[in-house]
Amino acid sequence: MSERVYIFDTTLRDGEQSPGASMNQQEKRRLARQLDRLGVDVIEAGFPASSEGDFESVQIISSVVEHSQVAALSRCSVPDIDRAWAAIKDAAHPRIHVFLATSDIHMEYKLKMSREQVLQAVQESVARAAASTRNVEFSAEDASRSNREFLGTVVQTAIEAGATTVNIPDTVGYTQPQEFAALITYLKKNVPNIEQAVISVHCHNDLGMGVANTIAALDAGARQAEVTLNGIGERAGNAALEEVIMALKVREDIHGLSTNIDILQIYPACRLLSMITGQPIPPYKAIVGGNAFAHEAGIHQHGMLQNRQTYEIMTPESIGRPASEMVLGKHSGRHACRQRLEQLGYRLDAEQMDLVFNAVKKLADIKKQIFVEDLEALVLEEVFRIPDKYKLLYLSSLSGNMAIPTATLKMVVDGREEQLSEFGVGPIDAVFNGICKIVDKSPELLHFSITSITGGTDAQGEVTVKLENAGRTAVGRGSDPDIIVASAKAYINALNRLAKREEEKAKA
Ligand code: KIV
Ligand code: ZN
């Protein structure tokens, strides 16, 4: 019989701290609902004392989450703790999460506090939080670089003061699996009241060890894992939820641990986060990357045809994604297209189906094989896009080492056709300059990324941009086999989103 591990998801707090991953309140609410559906035990919704916006988001999430506990982060200070409680008090299952650093380097240089002062702050803060709720978590920030005996005393103090979960973070991603497992074993042996709390771990990925350290700690007796979707988080990110869950699931034979996660919801959750933040999932990303279930080598394909288990340790369907094999080609019909879309979870009406099917046909003229990811990109572009104020009609671009990069564009702006040519440092710069001139706006480009949706040189390029104009930001996406066209589409998509926000603001 497997022992239960609690999953604490911090995508909306630690994850959101990572550059380019900020979400608005509506997006956070959508993601929180999906996390609830996924079955995480705790959703860390934010850090209410950090800003008014964060406070409101945590309140909103508290009101929509039905099953998961909702945690609010707090420093060891009375106003922070009271603010955290105010934000979550109406949640079905609220949790206050207090933290304070315990390593010598953090105490000396950051906190400027002695060990005695830290112990006192932990005792007082946990007790303050425990006066509001019995569900209190304490985190010893930079625990993995802290003096072991002192860390043990801090953990003991936190539990005495009322902490029901004690978190041991590897804040800077420094530890290694054996060392981290030994730390958990040490705490289990040497902290007299340790059985009164759940030991949690929170591993960053600076040395690429986040998941390995988390699993090693669970094997050593930790029973809560703090994770994020797609592994997003500060610097190199946190341990990825999907990797920790599937490692426990696929190798339950050696770990003997289970979770409450509905693994069919993993892929939809990871895709949703990627759509919201506009940060594409890298193709080689374990579990949810585009290539994670692609079998390229002939010998592998042969094995797969005989028995999938020759090269597949889990099935894509088990995590809620359809098999990443060729789905459609030039001769595929509308019925096959609809069937594939339904397997992906998209139920389209006849008009939406027409749009997508026509786009599939157009793409199949350029690209021989259309994969699941291509299909999803087309659905996003054709069905879920913001009604267009700006539309691209024509784009031609000139570049090379003996040419001045030039873009010639024709666009529709509010029903009017406009065209011009513009120069730039490179072809994409020329396109963006041209679009800005046509729409008479000069937003700041905060983020630009380009990725190949599937493999091969005929793959579609997927471009994501983030623009800021007059204090508002918007993410735009575009895909096309031509990366210059994909860039233009993404830029125009972001401009349309910004225009939509301005419109909503004007109406309000
Ligand atoms: O990395 C860390 O130490 C944290 C704590 C606040 C838990 O994010
Ligand atoms: Zn962290």
Side-chain angles (χ1 to χ4, degrees):
M1 181 61 183
S2 290
E3 266 191 63
R4 170 82 188 277
V5 167
Y6 297 99
I7 298 299
F8 176 114
D9 180 277
T10 182
T11 307
L12 290 162
R13 198 278 297 169
D14 210 323
E16 216 231 350
Q17 285 171 215
S18 76
S22 60
M23 296 170 236
N24 64 32
Q25 287 174 351
Q26 200 189 338
E27 291 165 340
K28 286 183 181 177
R29 176 209 297 235
R30 254 169 83 197
L31 191 65
R33 280 220 166 107
Q34 176 60 25
L35 288 168
D36 203 15
R37 225 171 283 136
L38 177 62
V40 304
D41 297 284
V42 188
I43 296 173
E44 187 163 48
F47 186 177
S50 68
S51 71
E52 193 53 39
D54 230 43
F55 179 85
E56 281 172 18
S57 300
V58 176
Q59 257 187 335
I60 291 170
I61 293 167
S62 300
S63 69
V64 298
V65 168
E66 290 174 23
H67 310 289
S68 310
Q69 298 171 41
V70 176
L73 186 67
S74 166
R75 285 168 294 206
C76 276
S77 89
V78 172
D80 262 39
I81 295 166
D82 293 352
R83 196 90 180 118
W85 178 242
I88 54 167
K89 65 180 180 2
D90 294 327
H93 312 285
R95 172 183 290 199
I96 301 178
H97 177 192
V98 234
F99 75 100
L100 191 62
T102 53
S103 64
D104 288 340
I105 186 167
H106 276 235
M107 289 189 292
E108 183 179 348
Y109 293 99
K110 188 183 80 173
L111 300 176
K112 306 201 186 320
M113 286 168 85
S114 66
R115 287 187 177 182
E116 291 66 34
Q117 287 171 318
V118 164
L119 277 175
Q120 192 182 344
V122 170
Q123 195 283 322
E124 289 172 0
S125 303
V126 172
R128 175 91 189 183
S132 298
T133 171
R134 290 178 62 189
N135 190 355
V136 178
E137 170 167 338
F138 171 74
S139 281
E141 191 188 6
D142 207 16
S144 57
R145 293 194 302 167
S146 302
N147 172 281
R148 270 188 178 190
E149 288 72 29
F150 178 61
L151 177 65
T153 310
V154 170
V155 168
Q156 181 179 347
T157 304
I159 297 171
E160 278 165 6
T164 43
T165 302
V166 282
N167 186 34
I168 311 299
D170 180 29
T171 302
V172 290
Y174 177 72
T175 198
Q176 301 291 299
Q178 304 91 319
E179 180 187 61
F180 202 45
L183 178 60
I184 301 301
T185 304
Y186 170 86
L187 293 172
K188 278 180 74 80
K189 249 201 199 140
N190 293 283
V191 175
N193 54 1
I194 197 74
E195 294 302 328
Q196 293 166 32
V198 172
I199 302 178
S200 167
V201 288
H202 173 114
C203 299
H204 279 271
N205 211 23
D206 300 64
L207 292 172
M209 294 283 180
V211 172
N213 288 333
T214 302
I215 300 285
L218 295 176
D219 283 341
R223 285 295 173 265
Q224 177 177 283
E226 301 202 353
V227 289
T228 59
L229 295 172
N230 298 337
I232 68 168
E234 280 277 355
R235 306 180 310 280
N238 291 64
L241 177 145
E242 61 280 9
E243 296 176 24
V244 169
I245 297 300
M246 292 315 287
L248 294 181
K249 180 94 189 154
V250 172
R251 297 311 312 271
E252 196 174 345
D253 56 328
I254 55 170
H255 301 296
L257 298 171
S258 63
T259 70
N260 202 31
I261 295 293
D262 174 0
I263 61 171
L264 276 173
Q265 294 297 332
I266 287 181
Y267 188 65
C270 292
R271 286 292 303 179
L272 178 64
L273 174 67
S274 164
M275 308 276 176
I276 288 175
T277 60
Q279 289 184 327
I281 301 174
Y284 44 79
K285 169 79 185 59
I287 321 287
V288 290
N291 294 346
F293 294 91
H295 303 276
E296 190 75 22
I299 198 163
H300 289 205
Q301 288 177 349
H302 177 71
M304 282 286 292
L305 288 174
Q306 307 304 313
N307 180 339
R308 282 176 80 162
Q309 286 177 10
T310 50
Y311 287 100
E312 240 176 40
I313 57 167
M314 59 196 145
T315 64
E317 297 84 354
S318 68
I319 56 147
R321 67 184 281 175
S324 190
E325 59 210 28
M326 184 187 61
V327 287
L328 298 167
K330 207 174 165 56
H331 304 291
S332 306
R334 194 186 165 86
H335 179 70
C337 183
R338 179 183 285 284
Q339 219 181 12
R340 222 49 182 122
L341 285 166
E342 285 185 358
Q343 283 169 348
L344 286 166
Y346 299 107
R347 284 172 201 282
L348 307 184
D349 62 29
E351 200 184 322
Q352 292 171 330
M353 190 59 217
D354 281 346
L355 287 170
V356 175
F357 187 59
N358 289 340
V360 165
K361 285 282 170 200
K362 243 199 231 161
L363 185 60
D365 277 339
I366 316 171
K367 193 173 183 289
K368 278 194 285 272
Q369 302 175 325
I370 298 188
F371 294 86
V372 164
E373 293 81 359
D374 292 315
L375 206 49
E376 273 202 308
L378 293 180
V379 173
L380 272 185
E381 286 222 340
E382 300 298 329
V383 180
F384 293 135
R385 74 160 176 231
I386 300 286
D388 292 344
K389 176 180 169 82
Y390 310 116
K391 230 184 215 152
L392 180 69
L393 289 181
Y394 170 91
L395 165 61
S396 117
S397 122
L398 175 75
S399 65
N401 66 352
M402 296 292 279
I404 298 174
T406 311
T408 302
L409 295 133
K410 191 186 249 187
M411 286 177 63
V412 177
V413 179
D414 280 330
R416 264 184 352 267
E417 285 192 10
E418 309 261 355
Q419 70 177 50
L420 54 68
S421 291
E422 184 60 67
F423 306 116
V425 180
I428 292 174
D429 189 43
V431 168
F432 289 180
N433 290 343
I435 295 172
C436 285
K437 247 195 181 157
I438 289 183
V439 305
D440 193 22
K441 287 204 170 352
S442 41
E444 195 183 340
L445 179 64
L446 299 180
H447 170 85
F448 173 89
S449 67
I450 185 157
T451 179
S452 153
I453 293 187
T454 53
T457 51
D458 70 344
Q460 289 202 89
E462 185 172 60
V463 174
T464 304
V465 299
K466 188 169 186 180
L467 301 181
E468 183 177 349
N469 195 43
R472 274 186 275 279
T473 59
V475 170
R477 277 182 170 219
S479 52
D480 197 276
D482 181 323
I483 56 170
I484 311 289
V485 176
S487 305
K489 284 182 177 175
Y491 200 91
I492 293 170
N493 181 235
L495 283 173
N496 278 319
R497 283 170 184 262
L498 279 173
K500 177 93 181 138
R501 280 185 194 170
E502 277 157 22
E503 219 177 85
E504 282 170 1
K505 181 94 199 273
K507 268 195 222 143

